[in-house]
Amino acid sequence: MKSLETQLRTLRASGRKALVPYFVAGLTPDWLHYVDAAIHGGADVIEIGIPFSDPMMDGVVIQEAAMRSLARGTTLDSACSDLRSLTSSVPLVAMTYYNIIHHYGLLKAAGALRAAHVTGAIIPDLTLEESGEWVHCCASDDVANIFLTAPSTDEDRVAKIANVCEGFSYASARMAVTGKSTDEGDAHRVVDTIRAATDIPIYVGIGITTPGQAQEVSSYADGVIVGSALVQQILSGATPQDIEATIRSFRQALDQS
Amino acid sequence: MKSLETQLRTLRASGRKALVPYFVAGLTPDWLHYVDAAIHGGADVIEIGIPFSDPMMDGVVIQEAAMRSLARGTTLDSACSDLRSLTSSVPLVAMTYYNIIHHYGLLKAAGALRAAHVTGAIIPDLTLEESGEWVHCCASDDVANIFLTAPSTDEDRVAKIANVCEGFSYASARMAVTGKSTDEGDAHRVVDTIRAATDIPIYVGIGITTPGQAQEVSSYADGVIVGSALVQQILSGATPQDIEATIRSFRQALDQS
Amino acid sequence: MTRVDTFMSAPDDRGRFGEFGGRFVAEALMPACLELETAFIEAWSDPVFLDEYHTVLREFGGRPTPVTPLRRLSALLGIELYAKREDLAHTGSHKINNVVGQTLLTKRMGKTRVIAETGAGQHGVATATAAARLGLDCTVYMGEVDTKRQELNVFRMELLGATVVPVSSGSRTLKDAVNEAMREWVTCVKDTHYCLGSVMGPHPFPWMVREMQSIVGHEASQQLVDLNVGTPDAVVACVGGGSNAAGIFAGFANSTARLIGIEAAGGSAVGLGSPGVLHGMRSLLIQDEFGQIEEAHSISAGLDYPGIGPEHAHLAATGRAEYYPIGDEDVLSALQLLSEMEGIIPALETAHAVAWIVQEVGKSIPRGSSVLLNLSGRGDKDVAQVRSILRAGA
Amino acid sequence: MTRVDTFMSAPDDRGRFGEFGGRFVAEALMPACLELETAFIEAWSDPVFLDEYHTVLREFGGRPTPVTPLRRLSALLGIELYAKREDLAHTGSHKINNVVGQTLLTKRMGKTRVIAETGAGQHGVATATAAARLGLDCTVYMGEVDTKRQELNVFRMELLGATVVPVSSGSRTLKDAVNEAMREWVTCVKDTHYCLGSVMGPHPFPWMVREMQSIVGHEASQQLVDLNVGTPDAVVACVGGGSNAAGIFAGFANSTARLIGIEAAGGSAVGLGSPGVLHGMRSLLIQDEFGQIEEAHSISAGLDYPGIGPEHAHLAATGRAEYYPIGDEDVLSALQLLSEMEGIIPALETAHAVAWIVQEVGKSIPRGSSVLLNLSGRGDKDVAQVRSILRAGA
Ligand SMILES: Cc1ncc(COP(=O)(O)O)c(C=O)c1O
Ligand SMILES: Cc1ncc(COP(=O)(O)O)c(C=O)c1O
């Protein structure tokens, strides 16, 4: 079992719902301060977006952030080198598009991530069918392969995905790209279907925007991923302190569930 | 024989070359003064253009004059009524397009022309083949049918046209619509061909602009028709006196030939 | 109702269809008209020429064009509606049929140059196209107003190697372009053929152009048989000069089908006109009380002509064909309807015929009727205009 | 040289052509891709479906399009040049073949709506056209930059009843329109088919679109036999995503003909690109040293794409097809040459292929060769642009 998964299973066993905020690497010069603030605020895992020119699975907010970050010159290397300066032991998970690591070289990419203390990777356009090589490359480096399951995924596929998914299972709350939403969408059904196939921790993402949603979702899921809501705040000029406050409110909501 | 032809044969017999200026009826309020001036200057026949909206056989000068005249409200009736006030005995010949008399009624048109002392008519878009009815209508009213012969007309057709042509034969000096030119074009050949077919007086028109040309042409033809050169002068603001002077210069040139 | 078998045959010796047609041109042009008549008669009965004409239309022109069942519009209207797709012919309308024939004839007559008139530019582009293919020189006369309204078509002709001459006389539109082409033809008739764009002008043009367009009707009548429709109840075409209508009518002249020509209300020579002589022919013309030709007014440049081909005047007089006007307003909604329901954006000209069908279903076109629409051209040339009208109206 | 008989057959189970192709999409879209694959395989072996596809292309789409011998240009160049006339297909290019197939498949899958991306608007207009014919809802994603450059095509789509959504992300051109269509597809995949416009995207699109375009090549190979040309020495097509090239190549894949794809110099994925993953496929892409996709640059919007269909990447890798770049300057004069010599104004995309032929005659195309040009589309959409460039340059 990859170390990320061991950690997250332990977390779940402790009764704590996981809070996973998402940040775009290199969005601002001080982007790591937001990461630190989130950790202070009670985040359990940090998801780091490494920007790609064509973020096909992202909504406008994260697209905008990715473009700004790219304009600042962010690369896989620069992101990793930034991350290496983080001191916290909170697990890091990278999110990027396949072309970034494909171009970098899969084995080299896995090594670079691991060297930056990244222990999990979400590649949303890497389908189960195409993932063999990457899974193989990650194996040697203790990087967990995190797969998404969508509301449209049928039971058969859920089972197959569950079979190879490591760290946690990413349950997509709705048929949509990343962005802000106000309800829980199809999350409950998706989580139940995954749960029937595996006992890996299941985190819900895509459109989780408010502590209230997070609380509701955490009644059946093991954690929540909060992306666009935070990125939007940062794009609008929020300080690390603001982000810490937001994270705290999510933390409280989850802890009360 | 129509009275026009009798007159023109007599004129030729007298050794005088015919000078036929062309005026657009109703071009200016005082257009008849130009006609009078031309008669004073030595014109033998006056050709009166009755304007049509689509003067397909006219060049830009006469087109422009026709449009101005139409804008002043000139009609076949108004032209005839103006002409009736002329006192001179110089023969008048009308030139118009077939639709004008077709619309007016052929028989009625012939009558109206004759009542305005018009004794000849040139309808340049009325081909020999289509002319039967009009020829018939003119017969009763002593209006001579004047046909054009073109450089492209072959001997056979020249003969056929000569057969029905009355008053004078209109020899087109060139393959062109009315307008200004500096040479005699094909006039000599056309005149010769017509002469071989008939002894009717033969007048040359289309592009006769200068007394020099007129003099040259009159060495083999019985007369010249001068249109665009005069109309251009009037459009440019010439007075009746100016026109009289121009006519005199043509007259002199012809008389010296 | 039985029909006699004499409709749309050759005109008489003078080129008359009943009391219409004939030849009213400058004597200078008569030899060319006679030469053309002879050349056409010879060519049109020469299997080698006919084979070349058909081969070029097939290999180059995109013939045969299909007949498309317009299923959704049929269901909406409660009739069986079919469209003969001249919009799919090269250059986007039926005009190519005529110019392919006339340019081949030009070559056969040993002439090296063509001139043509054009209104919106369709016939000009088609002529320039066919001339380019044969390497003939080409000059197109176009009203100055139209060269400005249709800049892109001017450029198209230039791309095709033609010279476009703006005509600044008269109303500076199509009618004047014809006048000017005729004037020009006088000066160059020896080596130049005047490639007239519709079933108009002096004999043999109305007849020759109809013959060269009759491929539309002959194809369509066979295609309707193949589609198990047989003879349609009605054949509907828009009428400017009348060439697309004449072409499709020719395939049904001796059938029981009603033949229906739709004119622009503001250019309706049958509705508003009276007999007169213009552009070499005796036909129905819109003219004032003094015989001065009036300007036609239509949203569609191709129907903006104050006359109609003489054979149509004759068909109207005999009752074999019917002619009705359609106003500009109805045309736009018909264009939108056909686009949305069938995925075919028709030319504004064609949309007149569509509008009439829509209007008459349940009236003079009983539900259940089979109707053949001649889809004379595509609307690409018109979208800018339609857009600005719809925007202005919104 | 003998060729093995395995080119342009079906891809492998994962949708791979050699090392290219595959499926790289959000998991949310995988079921739709799988459903589409199954539906396509079934439909494509169902005689009833195939018959409908062919009937619609014949009755509505204007197929078969002819092969035109380009006699004057042939004489000028000293080769035997033939053009497959996709410009005569409905909507003016080969795009109609694909959208007719995909919209019929949409109906068969019980879906009621299509979405599509478009660059200059050709595929968008084609999709809106085919959707209108079947009464399917249609939304087209188009980069904001392109909606402004191609206002008239936006209006055309609207006339056809489609909704056009301007895409303001990224470079606001074709590549971003694809991204946005994919994003949108995630939200509506149940009732909506994504009607992709070229041989690109996730499996089965590259294969399916090639199959739906292969009618071009199959017709052409038979037509060249009928013209007594037999197998041509070379088949030349322009390449944006690669659908018209794939379509015509398919008719000659297992022949001795050289297959030649011409890319825009500024969008040459074979010349400038390297393997990468974008828009659901692994192919050759123009990208920077970090794997960020670069914008393509071409005078012709339809070739303005930083990738190429995966099967082309494979054909390039195996050497069965050759790919060469042509710069903007050569394109304009080729467009003028074809217009003037043959009376066919080609699309700017097509003009790339013409330019290459003109350039290579006497070099890699020996005099006397027989060459088949895929005349993928007509230039009407481009004349305004060409005019302003030529005016500016004059
Ligand atoms: C598409 C189309 N239809 C019809 C016409 C009208 O001409 P005709 O009546 O000769 O067919 C035109 C003329 O430009 C046209 O472009
Ligand atoms: C006429 C024409 N040719 C070629 C193309 C390029 O596409 P593809 O490479 O898929 O044929 C386009 C795209 O819009 C086009 O319109």
Side-chain angles (χ1 to χ4, degrees), chain B residues 69-121:
Chain B
S69 173
L70 283 176
R72 290 193 58 253
T74 304
T75 63
L76 177 58
D77 277 336
S78 77
C80 286
S81 123
D82 287 355
L83 288 174
R84 274 196 303 273
S85 71
L86 272 184
T87 51
S88 152
S89 63
V90 165
L92 303 177
V93 162
M95 182 278 183
T96 193
Y97 287 82
Y98 190 51
N99 198 51
I100 296 295
I101 56 172
H102 179 273
H103 194 80
Y104 196 90
L106 297 186
L107 203 56
K108 209 176 128 213
L113 290 173
R114 194 60 190 81
H117 317 299
V118 173
T119 55

Side-chain angles (χ1 to χ4, degrees), chain C residues 36-245:
Chain C
L36 180 63
E37 182 183 0
T38 307
F40 170 65
I41 290 173
E42 278 174 19
W44 212 239
S45 59
D46 175 353
V48 175
F49 182 86
L50 288 172
D51 183 60
E52 187 171 10
Y53 166 76
H54 284 108
T55 302
V56 175
L57 283 181
R58 190 179 66 245
E59 288 182 354
F60 175 71
R63 304 212 71 85
T65 60
V67 164
T68 305
L70 301 181
R71 296 221 169 75
R72 295 185 67 219
L73 202 50
S74 292
L76 184 80
L77 298 174
I79 59 174
E80 261 183 76
L81 185 56
Y82 300 86
K84 175 63 173 164
R85 297 291 301 282
E86 293 303 296
D87 62 309
L88 293 175
H90 186 38
T91 71
S93 80
H94 65 290
K95 299 280 178 193
I96 196 74
N97 306 323
N98 173 38
V99 295
V100 161
Q102 287 200 47
T103 51
L104 289 175
L105 196 56
T106 303
K107 221 181 74 182
R108 185 183 170 101
M109 291 189 294
K111 300 191 174 189
T112 56
R113 178 168 175 259
V114 287
I115 58 175
E117 85 293 344
T118 198
Q122 286 304 102
H123 175 59
V125 168
T127 305
T129 293
R133 192 189 153 273
L134 288 175
L136 300 171
D137 269 359
C138 177
T139 301
V140 179
Y141 293 85
M142 188 171 185
E144 205 176 42
V145 170
D146 292 331
T147 59
K148 285 184 183 140
R149 284 196 289 208
Q150 300 281 341
E151 287 184 336
L152 284 185
N153 268 344
V154 173
F155 180 64
R156 242 181 220 108
M157 291 182 256
E158 288 170 352
L159 268 182
L160 293 160
T163 304
V164 179
V165 177
V167 174
S168 57
S169 60
S171 59
R172 293 174 292 143
T173 60
L174 175 57
K175 159 175 99 61
D176 308 283
V178 176
N179 292 339
E180 198 61 28
M182 290 264 187
R183 288 178 189 124
E184 175 64 18
W185 198 25
V186 173
T187 71
C188 57
V189 65
K190 234 184 163 142
D191 65 351
T192 301
H193 172 64
Y194 178 14
C195 185
L196 237 163
S198 193
V199 286
M200 42 175 273
H203 179 62
F205 285 105
W207 172 45
M208 180 176 74
V209 176
R210 181 252 282 167
E211 283 294 293
M212 288 173 173
Q213 290 291 2
S214 66
I215 190 167
V216 176
H218 293 314
E219 281 178 10
S221 65
Q222 183 56 49
Q223 287 165 320
L224 288 183
V225 169
D226 296 344
L227 285 166
N228 292 317
V229 179
T231 301
D233 295 314
V235 176
V236 186
C238 67
V239 176
S243 66
N244 87 84

